[in-house]
Amino acid sequence: DPDIPGDRQSIGVSISGDPGDLALTLDGRPLQKSGSGFQIPLLPGSHLLALSDASGRKLDQVRFTVR
């Protein structure tokens, strides 16, 4: 939304099931949990969101683009 400053735009993501030893990364950087989920900033460009286990093994990933 062009009427909302970019630093105020984000999308919420949550992990279903037991997230105990799971971690989310965005473009290789860890995301910090916020309340019951994670907030991903909507910065323009192509991004990779990945779910990893405690050993760092990638379990799933999705690439998305913000315009």
Side-chain angles (χ1 to χ4, degrees), residues 42-64:
L42 294 178
L43 303 173
S46 178
H47 303 284
L48 181 66
L49 179 64
L51 176 68
S52 303
D53 64 14
S55 68
R57 183 174 60 106
K58 203 174 287 183
L59 303 173
D60 201 0
Q61 65 183 17
V62 63
R63 182 165 294 283
F64 64 96

Side-chain angles (χ1 to χ4, degrees), residues 16-67:
S16 62
D18 180 14
D21 291 331
L22 300 177
L24 279 176
T25 59
L26 180 63
D27 302 329
R29 293 183 304 270
L31 289 175
Q32 299 300 317
K33 194 167 182 180
S34 171
S36 63
F38 301 83
Q39 290 296 313
I40 298 174
L42 294 178
L43 303 173
S46 178
H47 303 284
L48 181 66
L49 179 64
L51 176 68
S52 303
D53 64 14
S55 68
R57 183 174 60 106
K58 203 174 287 183
L59 303 173
D60 201 0
Q61 65 183 17
V62 63
R63 182 165 294 283
F64 64 96
T65 302
V66 177
R67 295 182 189 189

